[in-house]
Amino acid sequence: MTQIASEKRIPATLIRGDGIGPEIVEATVRVLDAVDAPFEWDDQEGGMAAMDKGGDPIPDALLESISKTKLALKGPLTTPIGGGFRSVNVRLREAFKLFANVRPAKSLLPDGRYNDVNTVLIRENLEGMYVGAEHFVPVDDDPHAVAESSSYITRVGCRRIAEFAFDYAVKNGRKKVTIVHKANILKALTGLFLETCMEVGEKFKGQLEIDDKIVDNTAMQLVINPAQFDVILTTNMFGDILSDEIAGLVGGLGLAPGGNIGHDAAIFEAVHGSAPDIAGQGIANPSALILAAAMMLDHVNEQDKANRIRRTLEKMMSEKKGLTGDLGGTAKTQEFADTIIANLD
Ligand code: NAI
């Protein structure tokens, strides 16, 4: 974590993104301004906006900006379909070696399915099935007769994410870390993950309870009794799936923030996409990006400002005040931001 005095301005890259991106980014920046967040924005284009102008959804100027600031707040980017494009999000993670994906989820709505979820999923972000090593094998006249995909996990990568996760748990006052794997079947691939995480966990035994669960059982246990999970530490693909499941337990992707964190840089974003179906209508829920911005404040040691935002947002949810349509309210995106700003403690 970066140690920076609160009075100092902190350069940070701002990507307004596609679809609802510019609307929720505007709302988020207004809330950040209201708590006097120290960020000095370098506005950069990415996604379709950049694609239309220069033919690349991640232009060099964007990469150079993040290389300099090492910190970014990102609106959702549309990944162009077809044409061999890889996900812009995966490319950014690789470019800045953002090995940890951190996704907190907390029950905020009073009439949600569960009122006691308070978990953080930490996912290895660079290895596993996402290395993109896949191809088809032609047989006779069928060019796609067989699909083959390779996955790898390294001891170095497992150690890095395990150290990050245990450290995060201790620093954030968490009590338990559950290592999620499929080592009964994928004995080498996720066996190495389990073994290495357990080894790293030895150092934290006095401070944390550490256990492990197989991924399929975890998926079921999350639905039966999500409160039993505190921090979940898992591999790339399992984390991708389980974090969306957990978001569903607390009211959906509209409330789910995420941080992609490496040793040298960090990018904070909403977990949801650019929602083209509601773009331009001013009705998108900015909560996920506002919560991601609060994580960004935590990252630069501005926890008081982050907590002010979170407390106000949580109060709005529990009182069902000023909410957007997806949460059963009638407020527009900027009105939602107005309510947060007016109610900051
Ligand atoms: P999506 O998350 O954009 O939308 C799914 C559904 O949730 C839609 O009905 C949408 O209206 C609703 N929704 C999403 N965010 C909302 C919000 N803040 N407030 C209210 N409703 C909201 O997923 P979809 O449609 O699969 O993807 C659209 C585009 O976004 C694609 O190009 C995809 O590649 C991209 N994407 C980008 C991500 C990122 O930049 N982190 C993550 C996921 C998708």
Side-chain angles (χ1 to χ4, degrees), residues 77-314:
L77 303 180
T78 299
T79 296
I81 295 173
F85 284 105
R86 290 189 68 211
S87 155
V88 287
N89 298 305
V90 173
R91 278 179 61 195
L92 281 174
R93 284 171 205 161
E94 288 174 353
F96 296 102
K97 299 197 170 37
L98 307 175
F99 62 86
N101 186 257
V102 180
R103 290 195 185 178
K106 194 171 171 189
S107 303
L108 298 177
L109 294 163
D111 49 5
R113 284 195 185 86
Y114 303 90
N115 57 15
D116 50 3
V117 179
N118 184 0
T119 176
V120 180
L121 184 137
I122 297 182
R123 156 187 170 196
E124 202 293 319
N125 222 8
L126 297 177
E127 300 190 339
M129 295 300 287
Y130 290 69
V131 293
E134 53 176 12
H135 62 272
F136 292 105
V137 180
V139 176
D140 298 331
D141 58 353
D142 182 357
H144 290 178
V146 180
E148 199 171 278
S149 177
S150 310
S151 174
Y152 71 73
I153 279 178
T154 65
R155 195 183 291 284
V156 170
C158 295
R159 218 175 259 148
R160 188 171 58 183
I161 191 68
E163 275 163 4
F164 177 92
F166 292 125
D167 205 44
Y168 175 97
V170 170
K171 283 195 182 129
N172 288 276
R174 298 277 171 171
K175 302 280 175 272
K176 186 167 99 173
V177 176
T178 304
I179 302 160
V180 173
H181 59 89
K182 185 77 184 174
N184 55 329
I185 302 292
L186 301 170
K187 289 178 196 291
L189 197 69
T190 80
L192 177 62
F193 182 79
L194 174 61
E195 176 192 306
T196 312
C197 291
M198 280 296 188
E199 264 167 33
V200 174
E202 282 300 315
K203 280 187 284 185
F204 295 85
K205 276 274 166 70
Q207 297 157 283
L208 293 167
E209 185 190 334
I210 298 169
D211 66 357
D212 74 281
K213 273 197 173 44
I214 293 172
V215 63
D216 33 346
N217 182 27
T218 306
M220 182 188 68
Q221 294 288 334
L222 274 167
V223 176
I224 291 176
N225 175 19
Q228 69 183 289
F229 294 99
D230 192 354
V231 174
I232 292 176
L233 162 59
T234 192
T235 55
N236 207 342
M237 172 79 89
F238 297 157
D240 194 4
I241 298 165
L242 291 180
S243 57
D244 273 25
E245 182 186 354
I246 296 169
L249 303 178
V250 299
L253 291 180
L255 295 175
N260 296 288
I261 300 173
H263 288 311
D264 299 325
I267 300 179
F268 296 87
E269 63 184 344
V271 168
H272 61 72
S274 54
D277 52 335
I278 57 165
Q281 297 176 34
I283 58 170
N285 175 6
S287 300
L289 194 68
I290 291 171
L291 289 168
M295 291 175 74
M296 186 167 165
L297 283 167
D298 289 334
H299 184 75
V300 298
N301 280 336
E302 291 278 9
Q303 280 86 358
D304 288 351
K305 289 174 181 170
N307 288 336
R308 276 181 80 199
I309 293 175
R310 277 190 288 255
R311 272 197 303 272
T312 311
L313 197 133
E314 285 174 21

Side-chain angles (χ1 to χ4, degrees), residues 12-88:
T13 305
L14 185 66
I15 309 156
R16 292 180 190 269
D18 300 313
I20 58 170
E23 303 160 44
I24 59 173
V25 167
E26 186 192 337
T28 303
V29 169
R30 288 178 53 223
V31 170
L32 284 169
D33 286 345
V35 296
D36 197 21
F39 304 118
E40 196 171 274
W41 299 114
D42 179 18
D43 242 289
Q44 290 290 335
E45 266 175 0
M48 286 310 277
M51 179 75 196
D52 292 342
K53 279 194 192 155
D56 186 352
I58 309 185
D60 288 346
L62 170 58
L63 294 173
E64 279 160 24
S65 172
I66 301 175
S67 300
K68 270 193 218 134
T69 62
K70 307 192 183 314
L71 189 62
L73 182 67
K74 181 175 98 43
L77 303 180
T78 299
T79 296
I81 295 173
F85 284 105
R86 290 189 68 211
S87 155
V88 287

